[in-house]
Amino acid sequence: MSKVPSLTLNNGVSMPQLGFGVWQVPDDEAARTVATALEAGYRSIDTAAIYGNEEGTGRAIASSGIARDELFVTTKLWNSDQGHDSTLRAFDKSLERLGLEYVDLYLIHWPVPSKDAYVDTYKALEKIHADGRAKAIGVSNFLPEHLERLIAQTSVVPAVNQIELHPQLAQAASRAVHERHGITTEAWSPLGQGRGLLEVPTIVAVAQKHDRTPAQVVLRWHLQLGNVAIPKSVTPSRIRENVDVFDFELDADDLAAFAALDEGTRLGPDPATFDMA
Ligand code: NAD
């Protein structure tokens, strides 16, 4: 079992560079799936209130026997709970469902610019952080303009911005803004949701060259870019395959081949307009 290396966030907290995402894992399967991931060596789990599986995730954590301080648990505040007081209430409920005393990272799931509440919402996250109930706070799906405003109007620079990022959406502009502010880039849908990406001939060729799978070379690309990646699978063999990426490296030719795949195309919604309640 390979050990996952950690990055140090801008507040000194360590975060595993590879984690396990549980979007679309039903609550009654989450306990088993997360348990498989923990057995495979993952120590970071990415859930969200809207995923409806914080309870199952919490059950897997409780029964894992792994010390709490060896785990890194992320959850996220849903759009309809944005606002200062409603955020504090929603956070309490997430903690309760997870069965935890604190999370390692709490994120605002989407900026929802039309609601114009993310600054007040973030101030509630700052309080949660000051109380020690989230070791780090951050955002998800924030565009550079949202980040700049947030940083200008609040005190704690987000530790992380979790954004859609894969070889066909390499997000160079956002990554540059993150780097300038010391914000760690976390990639969601790192495997492009397993759709056509893993059959792209360039990726298949790089995989064959290294005697690895397409998913493994895509994850390697994330790691070498400096991203945190949180691939999801419910298939035990793939869960293990996706964490077995710490004993090989892509070379400069491979990275150049990956760079040519960037089309700037999103699989998910546009953060400028997404306002699902
Ligand atoms: P992903 O890129 O991790 O792809 C997952 C899919 O890829 C699986 O369902 C499976 O079909 C396939 N797959 C996984 N491993 C494979 C392998 N080894 N070989 C072949 N196919 C494989 O997509 P995702 O689930 O959308 O994203 C990962 C995580 O990111 C989510 O679970 C969630 O935690 C997070 N996420 C966050 C947001 C957000 O708005 N913040 C949005 C989407 C996802």
Side-chain angles (χ1 to χ4, degrees):
M1 182 166 53
S2 46
K3 174 135 174 52
V4 177
S6 288
L7 298 181
T8 304
L9 304 178
N10 60 14
N11 63 356
V13 168
S14 292
M15 176 173 190
Q17 205 183 350
L18 190 82
F20 185 67
V22 296
W23 181 40
Q24 293 177 323
V25 179
D27 196 45
D28 57 359
E29 283 177 37
R32 182 182 51 82
T33 303
V34 171
T36 303
L38 294 173
E39 277 160 31
Y42 297 79
R43 288 295 175 268
S44 167
I45 310 294
D46 181 83
T47 184
I50 195 70
Y51 299 170
N53 56 24
E54 290 175 310
E55 287 185 15
T57 299
R59 280 198 297 278
I61 290 169
S63 55
S64 70
I66 299 169
R68 177 67 187 90
D69 63 3
E70 286 178 27
L71 294 171
F72 192 99
V73 181
T74 301
T75 194
K76 313 185 195 83
L77 175 91
W78 186 239
N79 301 344
S80 52
D81 289 319
Q82 279 205 26
H84 186 273
D85 293 356
S86 45
T87 294
L88 296 176
R89 286 194 295 271
F91 179 74
D92 285 345
K93 286 191 194 148
S94 278
L95 266 195
E96 202 175 302
R97 284 190 294 264
L98 284 161
L100 297 176
E101 314 237 299
Y102 67 88
V103 296
D104 296 278
L105 180 62
Y106 195 43
L107 303 176
I108 302 178
H109 208 142
W110 290 87
V112 199
S114 61
K115 198 166 176 174
D116 195 21
Y118 63 77
V119 172
D120 278 351
T121 301
Y122 193 77
K123 287 180 180 168
L125 265 62
E126 290 183 319
K127 178 169 183 351
I128 290 164
H129 179 239
D131 291 345
R133 298 197 303 152
K135 302 288 178 199
I137 54 174
V139 294
S140 177
N141 298 302
F142 272 45
L143 297 174
E145 71 224 51
H146 308 134
L147 280 177
E148 299 290 358
R149 178 172 167 214
L150 194 71
I151 291 166
Q153 298 184 9
T154 62
S155 319
V156 178
V157 175
V160 168
N161 188 15
Q162 183 185 114
I163 56 174
E164 182 183 343
L165 203 172
H166 41 74
Q168 289 167 329
L169 181 68
Q171 297 266 28
S174 282
R175 285 190 288 116
V177 171
H178 298 169
E179 197 166 320
R180 184 150 53 76
H181 289 293
I183 298 169
T184 294
T185 301
E186 182 171 22
W188 66 252
S189 295
L191 302 174
Q193 300 180 350
R195 299 192 207 166
L197 181 69
L198 302 179
E199 280 119 51
V200 167
T202 302
I203 292 179
V204 172
V206 172
Q208 281 169 350
K209 173 176 152 187
H210 291 276
D211 200 14
R212 292 291 177 142
T213 67
Q216 288 177 319
V217 294
V218 170
L219 292 169
R220 206 50 239 176
W221 172 81
H222 282 286
L223 299 171
Q224 291 183 218
L225 229 57
N227 300 335
V228 171
I230 45 171
K232 173 244 168 185
S233 173
V234 291
T235 309
S237 58
R238 287 177 171 175
I239 291 174
R240 289 190 285 272
E241 171 186 326
N242 293 347
V243 77
D244 183 16
V245 291
F246 297 102
D247 56 355
F248 75 104
E249 276 201 15
L250 303 184
D251 61 29
D253 290 344
D254 303 330
L255 295 174
F258 267 86
L261 299 176
D262 186 10
E263 302 167 343
T265 46
R266 290 184 188 279
L267 299 167
D270 181 350
T273 52
F274 184 68
D275 62 357
M276 194 171 111

